Amino acid sequence: MSERYPTDTEDAREAAVEAAALAVQRGELVVLPTDTVYGIAADAFDPAAVRDLLDAKGRGRDMPPPVLVSSPSTLDALAVRVPGYARALVERFWPGPLTVVCHQQTSLQWDLGDTRGTVAVRMPDHPVALEVLERTGPLAVSSANLSGMPAATDAEQAEEMLGDEVAVLVDAGASPGGEASTIVDCTGDQGRILRRGALSLEQLNEVLEPLGATLTDEGQASA
């Protein structure tokens, strides 16, 4: 059973962040608020914890989780051959609801699932999530829901679906965004939207067109 931590006062928030960080370090799962929807999180460098995350959601290795980071500079620690258009999008939309899929660093000692040599990375725009990430380092994070169900946008929904699977649930009220991030494949010469979300194709291309670049939209709507 999870322990739920409020964040409505400074002391409560500190206790929640500390509890979440300690749980991650113990290899346990936690539920965190983000700017989009609530997420279920594990230490990205703990293969057993990542497996537990996928099991909790009812997902297989064919759906590896994205990685959340606390700083744009961490992208270069996780990814290689990051194209200029990806950097332009990150500069404009991080922190925020943009996930970029890049070629992963081959030296990384982790197992996120069947990634085909790529990693999906995002920096969330939520103070509590960023405080946890600053203490834990990169986290494997997927939307807090059972596979096929709508993503949780508050702690109650997350607890109902995943309460038995996580050690700590950080409650920061309703998600400010309520819509999943837009996922962009940045592994090729031209970027592709893989999943539509909070950022539209028009918003993304507005940044890229002055650079002589555009994205294509091959995405599914976010579940």
Side-chain angles (χ1 to χ4, degrees):
M1 240 353 235
S2 60
E3 188 165 358
R4 190 156 150 188
Y5 288 82
T7 57
D8 50 349
T9 68
E10 197 169 318
D11 286 346
R13 177 163 144 177
E14 170 59 28
V17 169
E18 180 70 6
L22 288 173
V24 166
Q25 289 162 15
R26 290 193 300 265
E28 296 172 325
L29 303 180
V30 301
V31 164
L32 299 175
T34 80
D35 48 327
T36 55
V37 296
Y38 271 70
I40 179 171
D43 181 349
F45 293 94
D46 183 336
V50 173
R51 280 196 301 275
D52 289 344
L53 185 158
L54 293 173
D55 288 345
K57 283 180 61 87
R59 282 189 168 179
R61 288 175 54 82
D62 59 323
M63 300 183 76
V67 175
L68 295 195
V69 298
S70 62
S71 167
S73 61
T74 308
L75 178 61
D76 286 312
L78 304 179
V80 293
R81 306 198 306 278
V82 179
Y85 67 83
R87 295 190 186 280
L89 292 175
V90 163
E91 186 175 339
R92 171 64 181 83
F93 293 113
W94 276 14
L98 170 72
T99 299
V100 293
V101 177
C102 299
H103 296 286
Q104 75 169 30
Q105 289 273 8
T106 54
S107 60
L108 291 174
Q109 299 298 308
W110 65 7
D111 182 6
L112 298 174
D114 297 333
T115 63
R116 299 187 180 93
T118 64
V119 60
V121 188
R122 184 169 92 85
M123 179 182 175
D125 190 12
H126 194 289
V128 174
L130 290 172
E131 283 182 43
V132 174
L133 286 161
E134 283 165 4
R135 299 190 193 191
T136 61
L139 292 176
V141 182
S142 186
S143 55
N145 59 290
L146 297 172
S147 193
M149 301 286 286
T153 55
D154 61 35
E156 287 78 10
Q157 295 169 7
E159 188 168 36
E160 190 174 319
M161 287 186 277
L162 297 166
D164 291 337
E165 308 295 336
V166 303
V168 170
L169 194 153
V170 179
D171 184 353
S175 299
E179 187 175 7
S181 68
T182 300
I183 302 178
V184 178
D185 178 359
C186 299
T187 60
D189 292 336
Q190 182 177 33
R192 304 179 300 144
I193 291 181
L194 298 179
R195 182 184 72 187
R196 299 180 198 123
L199 294 172
S200 69
L201 178 66
E202 290 72 27
Q203 286 173 290
L204 297 167
N205 277 341
E206 189 177 323
V207 174
L208 298 182
E209 282 166 357
L211 306 176
T214 56
L215 302 178
T216 60
D217 184 355
E218 301 176 18
Q220 303 293 317
S222 59

